[in-house]
Every structure is written in C-alpha cells, then in structure tokens.
Amino acid sequence: MGGREVTGRLLAQRKQSLQFTFHPGPSLSNMAVCYACLTLLALGSARVGSADSMADRLPLEPYDRLFSMAVDAYYRDDWQGVILNMERALQNRAALRRAKIHCRAECSHKMKFSIANSSHDLFMDMNYFHTVLRKADCLKVCEGERLGPHSLHHISEEVQLEFHKRTPYNYLQVAYFKIKMLDKAVAAAHTFFMVNPDHLEMRQNLEYYKMMAGVKDADFKDLEAKAHMEAFRQGVRLYTDEQFKHSIRFLENALEEYFKANAECRALCEGPYNFDGYNYMEYNADLYQAITDHYIQVLGCKQNCVTELAIRPDREAPIEDFLPTHLDYLQFAYYNSENYSQAIECTKTYLLFYPNDEVMNQNLQYYQAVLGDELSRHLTHREDIQTYIANSLLEKELLYFANEIFGVTFIDPDKWTPESVIPVKLKAKQKAERETAARISEEIGNLMKEIENLVDEKTKESSEIVKMVKEGGPLLFDSVQVVMNARLLNGTQRVLLDGVITDEECQEMRYLSNAAASLGDGYYGRPSPHTPNERFQGVTVLKALKLSQKGTIPLKTSRLFYDVSEKVRRIIESYFRMETPLHFAYSHLVCRTAVEGMQDKREDLSHSVHVDNCILNSEALECPKQHPAYTERDYSAILYLNHDFEGGNFIFTEIDAKVITAMVNPKCGRVVAFSSGAENPHGVQAVTKGQRCGVALWFTLDPTQKERERIEADDLVNMLFGMEEELQPDEGDVKEPVPTDHRSNDVPTDHRPSDVPTDHRSSDVLTDHRSSERPAPEPIHKPQDGAEPAGDAAEQETEVKGSMTEGSKVPEHMIKTMEPAPTVPDTKSTAALNIPSTKQEL
C-alpha cells in the first residue's frame, strides 16, 4: 500500500473520529468546532505532502544493532568492521538524540497551550486536549520522518549502560591501534578512561601511548566532552592564571552553552512513562492520575538536569552550585577588568539565587560606589536567568505538592531553593527523619566503638612495639641529628630533627617566602584562613620555579626550595625505614604573621588541632578516614626557618584535641616529622608577634597519588638547570607490563602497543584527572571567597593539593610524565568545584 493511500485512510479515520469527538453541544460555538476540524484536516494534508519524501528516506539504523555487529567483528579480528560499525553506532545514537530533541522542541514551539476566553469549562478542557493531540501528531510525523518506525529504537537498558560507560571507545582504541591509526586509538582510549579512571589496563595503555613516537599531546582528547563544561573549565584555568579578560569570554560562553544543554536535557525528559517498579500489566490509574504520574515524572527529570549538567565525566558527584558559580567567577573577573557595569549585573544576578549573601551584597555596594549612582542606578540582573529561576520554582512547588499529597519522592538538586517553597509538614518530617537517623547512627557508633576499643586494647601494645622497631633508620647526612624520638615525644611514628639546613639556607628561604609568596595561597586568596588574628601567605615549588623562569626571583633560590624538600623526603623515608618509596603529595612554603593590634586576650590557635588524613571528631574521640580528608597522605613534616617570633609552637595532643602530649619550639633547620594518621593529632599555637615561616610537606606511599605539580616541577628543573641525566622514577612507580592481548566476553581490557617506547610525551595528557587550580592570590581590595576549604591537613599551611598550572611557561616538548594521573577525590578542594576567590568584606 502506497504512502498516499495510507495517509488518505488515516485522514478519513481522523475525519470520522473528529465528528464524534467534537460533536457540538448547545454550549459550544460552531466556529470553535470548525476551527478544530480545519486544524486537524490541515495536519492530514501536510502529512500527505510528506509521504513521498518519507518513502524515499531510509529509517535510521538502530545503534544497538550496529553495536552488536561491531562486537561480533571484534571477535573475528575484523578491525575495519569494528571501526565501521562502532563509529556508525555512536553516530546513530547521537542522531537519535538530536532528532528527539529537535522534534520535541519544534512541536512545543508550534503547538503552544492557550486558554480561550470562554466561561465554559468543557471548552477549556477541549482546548487543552486539542493542543495535546496536535503536539502528539506533530511528534509522530517529525520522528517518523527522521527516524522511521518508533519500534526500531527500543534500546535495552543493558546496551544504554554500555554506551553510558563509553564501552564502544574501548573496542575502538584496540581496532585503531591494530590498523596503526595511533591518533584515533589515543583519542578513543582517553575518552573511555575519562569515565573509567579506575580501569588499570587502560591507564597502562595511556602511559604506553604517551611514550610512543608519533603520538601528540593533542591526540589525548575527550570525544564526548560537553561544550558547557569544557568552556567553564577553560574559563576557570584562565581565571586562576589571572587572565581575567580572556576568562570572561569562556565563562560567558559556558553560560550560553549551559542553557542550550539544559534545554536539550529537558526536551529528552518528555519521553515514555517509566513504570519503575510498577507492573505495567497491573497499572490501572484513571485518566487524571495517569496524567499526574507521568507529568510529575517528567518534572522530576527536568529538575534533575541541574545535576546532570554539573557532573564531570571523571566524578560521581556534581559541582555544587554550578550555575551560580558561573556568575560568581564572572562578577569578579569583570571587576578585575574594570568593567563595573557587567560586574554589577552579574552580582545582582547571583543575588537572585542567594539574596541574603552578605559578602556579595557588600561587593555590590562597592561596585556601585566605584561606578557612581548615576550610572549604576539603571543596571539590573539578567532576565533570562530570572525566568529560569521563576520556572524552576514553579516546578519545585508542583513536585513538593505531589510529594505531600501522593508521596512522590523529590530530592531538590538546588541549595538556593527558598525555605518558603518547601511545605511545612515536609520540613517537619525531614527534621524528624534526620533526628531518627542521627539517633540510630549514634547507637550503632557507640556499639562499634566498644568493639573497636576491645580490639585496640589487644593490638595497641604489639603495634607500638613494631612501630618503634621500624623507627631509627640512618639519617643520610652528618649534620642531621635526632633531638627527640617517638618515645620522648610521647607518641608513635614521631621524630624531631635538627641541622637539616644551615642558617644561610634558612635566610634564603625566608627571602623566597616574602618575595614570591601570595596572601591566602591555597585558600582561594583568603588572607586569614585559620584565624582573623594572623595573615597567611605561601608559595609552592612549581610557582617558585616559574617565577625564576620569568626572572622574578633568582634561579638558585627556587632550586634551593626544590632541593630542600627532596632532602627532607629522603631523610624521612630512611629514618622510618620505608619498605616502599615515599612520594610527594604536596609541598608549601608558608608564613604566618601576627596582625598588630589584635593580639590582646587572644585565646584561639594559629591552626586548630586536626589530623592530616582523617576527619577528627574530638568529642566522639574518633577520626574516620574518609573524604573530604586527604586520605592518601601517609607522612607529614614541617621544616622551620626561623625562631624570631612569639608563640607559634607546634603541639601534639590526644585524640580529644585538649591534652597536649608534646610541644615543639620552631627554629632554623628543625624538622618535626610524623605519620599522618589518627595517632598524631596536632595543631599550632597562636603567633602573637612577628612572622613564623616553614616548609610544610605531605607524603604518600601510593604512587598513583603523587603530586602532579611536583612532576611538572621535576621537568622544569630539568629544563632550567640543564641536567644531563633525567630524573629517575621512584621504585614504586607503576611499571609498564609486557604488551598482551586480553579478551573477555564483555569488553576488551588490555590491547597495547607491542613496540618499545621511543619518545616521551607531555604530562598534559590526562588533564581531566587533575585538580583544577585554585584562584590566584588577590590584592587587598579584591573580593574574596567566604567558603572554607574542605578537609584538615598536617600543619595545614594549605588545604588544597598542588596541581599542574595550565598557564605554565614550560615548552610542551620538555614535559614528561612519570606517573599516570590519579583520580581526584571529589572534595571542595578543587577550584572547579568551589566558588572562586570572589568575596571579600570591603
């Protein structure tokens, strides 16, 4: 039967049903009925006109079928067949998504709901469902033309999951390697690794690819990268490097792409009803209940787009307050570019989310004062974001109503939702649930604590003996002396050393601390991160080397910083008799300066008592080793540079954070080193006069957690100082396995090149698995972030891990990678996950 005949028959059926459905009653206008008839007849005519083109167009081939064909080709070693079918599967999946988005957006635009000026409720219902029918017809025609029969594209959950995990790229990297297309193999491998950072074989493959001749840095790209996320991250990198004008372009583009992605995500939510636990054969809801169930499910999906758009591929948790954070970065970037009009606009727009934000309101007053009342009076917020917020709040109200009346689960993805939107009963219920959960958790915790105490009592004595035996290894340098061991320091895995560096070296390091350090370094530019009574400044090894590269400070000074930190690492590794190599986790030269006029009757600490790799709960006498603590840290050390200040003693305490077990008086060349666990709670007493400086160092035994910034520093030292021999990798580095070809019934796991590596490539390969850089230090009148960095750390001169700087001046061909990039914990310590250094009490 031809397309015209089918369409004509459907049109005849529609005419018959039209006579029944819109049978005029005494209360209905004849013109309204005629209008409805003419509308549906027009739709039928349009379909007749498109029938011929549909007959000539082949339906889109289902991507699950292509995926299956590609897998079959893989097990036949048909690499061309793998590539052909897998690439088509990826293309058709994207085409299916685009078609659905296009059709739903186009039909929503064409068929808008409207309420007629009529007092008859029946007519209003008919008008609404008339629009619904027209939309359904529009979608059926549009998707039929673009995709073919709807039943072709019923994709199983298993196949959808494989594409979500990017499994096709695992097959592709093998196939492309087999036909020697290394650039495409590398891109496929990198794309797969982005969402599978724990996949060891792929990690090893990437390390191998980096060392192969012909592989370029540009080949390591994410083929599934989201445009809005890439623009945001690039904007943050430029912002971090204080390239504010350039960062604005990317951040504004990120906002534009965000709303495009949001519209697409919301369009895809308007799909079929997901029964989700219901047996669809037994589902017997009436008309309005069925409409409610489906519509509330769609609304919940649309609200969840906030979460989906804020998730990076290598993270499970979304970036907190993702949309408001764009505006936070922008208002400060515009301020630094002296564009006060835009700074005011972004600040006012941010206040739509958080109207009572004290610091942002202060920033607004400052910007208005600088620009002047006459010019700033008429500046307002961005209308599109106000519309976005208003629409979101309406959806939230409906979802909360459905939760209250029908028990539909709704977890609000936004922190900015006003309290007034949440129903009173729900708030009371949530409070009761939290209290119940806390009580149960406390009871379980008490029981577990009793069990742990019994076990600890049995093992404590033997473990202390073992630790004491392990301590006391050679110090490697004649000038270094043990002042106090663990026994004299009343603990375990502790040592106090003198003579690590000379007085002249201390003076040189002091010079560096004041010439290169920045206020609030490591704390998003906050000059007083621990106490308002002191100012904090710091500089990392890499930053010092880069300043030397620019000629800002002498080369020998930055090299001394590098060498001193390595010397401390070697001494600790030897003294504690490490069975595996010790790696840098973070290095920071820091100074704490007492603020004059604020020291009277001071009772606070310079840095509160904490533990470096767990979250200390001194009230509960426990320290769970979990994020956001830096759980990868194993040993910590502080090298002191001076003693000409008052206060600032280092203290060890019991786990209650009150009873002091040992105290260390800082002086030049003195090092206190200790294990980073719950056995060594510590803090710093108040610096009441002068400036206290030292080098804070943290180490890890896990080679995959090595500091990325240190690796870049190694390469920069190589270049700046012309070393003849390359830096040797630590014994604990991940070794390349012998190339093998593992097959499984599911996915390929380890197909790597069989050639011996001949060329070392850049460490910029896996940039998506590095922490984003912290915002750069700011002048006195810069707005400054009010958010606390997540997690405590030993002698926490900083709580943010070092990371590779995108704006590095090192030539790319000089950078080498000694380790695969680690998976970064999802904490607030990464700059891309935090509000920038934007808020300051002005």
Side-chain angles (χ1 to χ4, degrees), residues 699-759:
F699 306 99
T700 179
L701 293 170
D702 183 356
T704 66
Q705 296 296 326
K706 283 176 64 174
E707 181 187 12
R708 301 293 298 175
E709 190 169 300
R710 187 71 185 199
I711 297 172
E712 190 174 353
D714 291 340
D715 293 312
L716 191 50
V717 165
N718 242 346
M719 184 189 74
L720 293 177
F721 297 94
M723 292 183 176
E724 295 182 359
E725 297 182 1
E726 294 184 356
L727 295 171
Q728 297 299 317
D730 294 324
E731 294 178 4
D733 286 356
V734 177
K735 301 292 192 302
E736 280 303 326
V738 177
T740 56
D741 186 1
H742 298 285
R743 301 278 179 96
S744 72
N745 293 329
D746 300 319
V747 297
T749 58
D750 188 12
H751 289 269
R752 62 176 61 81
S754 58
D755 300 327
V756 177
T758 57
D759 189 14

Side-chain angles (χ1 to χ4, degrees), residues 3-16:
R4 291 183 180 273
E5 295 174 348
V6 173
T7 308
R9 189 180 67 179
L10 291 173
L11 181 59
Q13 292 174 352
R14 183 175 290 117
K15 290 178 181 178
Q16 294 176 2

Side-chain angles (χ1 to χ4, degrees), residues 578-592:
M578 304 289 178
E579 296 178 357
T580 57
L582 202 59
H583 308 280
F584 285 100
Y586 191 49
S587 314
H588 209 200
L589 170 58
V590 296
C591 292
R592 300 165 183 269

Side-chain angles (χ1 to χ4, degrees), residues 617-769:
N617 185 342
S618 57
E619 298 296 328
L621 302 180
E622 62 183 10
C623 195
K625 196 170 181 179
Q626 61 189 33
H627 297 305
Y630 297 111
T631 56
E632 72 281 359
R633 292 176 176 174
D634 296 301
Y635 282 86
S636 309
I638 304 96
L639 167 63
Y640 296 106
L641 303 178
N642 66 316
H643 67 278
D644 54 340
F645 54 88
E646 294 180 8
N649 288 334
F650 178 91
I651 56 173
F652 286 111
T653 73
E654 296 285 3
I655 199 168
D656 62 3
K658 297 176 182 177
V659 179
I660 297 176
T661 58
M663 183 181 296
V664 175
N665 298 316
K667 75 171 190 176
C668 169
R670 173 166 287 178
V671 167
V672 58
F674 48 93
S675 57
S676 304
E679 66 276 6
N680 284 317
H682 56 278
V684 181
Q685 293 181 331
V687 178
T688 56
K689 184 178 180 180
Q691 184 184 65
R692 172 190 188 271
C693 294
V695 179
L697 301 162
W698 294 272
F699 306 99
T700 179
L701 293 170
D702 183 356
T704 66
Q705 296 296 326
K706 283 176 64 174
E707 181 187 12
R708 301 293 298 175
E709 190 169 300
R710 187 71 185 199
I711 297 172
E712 190 174 353
D714 291 340
D715 293 312
L716 191 50
V717 165
N718 242 346
M719 184 189 74
L720 293 177
F721 297 94
M723 292 183 176
E724 295 182 359
E725 297 182 1
E726 294 184 356
L727 295 171
Q728 297 299 317
D730 294 324
E731 294 178 4
D733 286 356
V734 177
K735 301 292 192 302
E736 280 303 326
V738 177
T740 56
D741 186 1
H742 298 285
R743 301 278 179 96
S744 72
N745 293 329
D746 300 319
V747 297
T749 58
D750 188 12
H751 289 269
R752 62 176 61 81
S754 58
D755 300 327
V756 177
T758 57
D759 189 14
H760 294 271
R761 292 290 165 177
S762 168
S763 61
D764 284 337
V765 171
L766 300 179
T767 55
D768 290 309
H769 292 275

Side-chain angles (χ1 to χ4, degrees), residues 535-591:
R535 288 288 181 263
F536 178 93
Q537 64 190 56
V539 62
T540 62
V541 173
L542 181 61
K543 184 176 179 181
L545 289 167
K546 287 183 176 180
L547 289 173
S548 291
Q549 187 184 23
K550 295 176 182 178
T552 306
I553 59 175
L555 281 171
K556 66 172 185 176
T557 304
S558 60
R559 178 58 189 268
L560 176 63
F561 185 9
Y562 176 88
D563 290 341
V564 163
S565 60
E566 173 61 20
K567 184 177 183 180
V568 174
R569 186 197 68 80
R570 291 182 59 199
I571 292 171
I572 294 173
E573 183 181 81
S574 177
Y575 179 81
F576 287 112
R577 301 182 190 273
M578 304 289 178
E579 296 178 357
T580 57
L582 202 59
H583 308 280
F584 285 100
Y586 191 49
S587 314
H588 209 200
L589 170 58
V590 296
C591 292

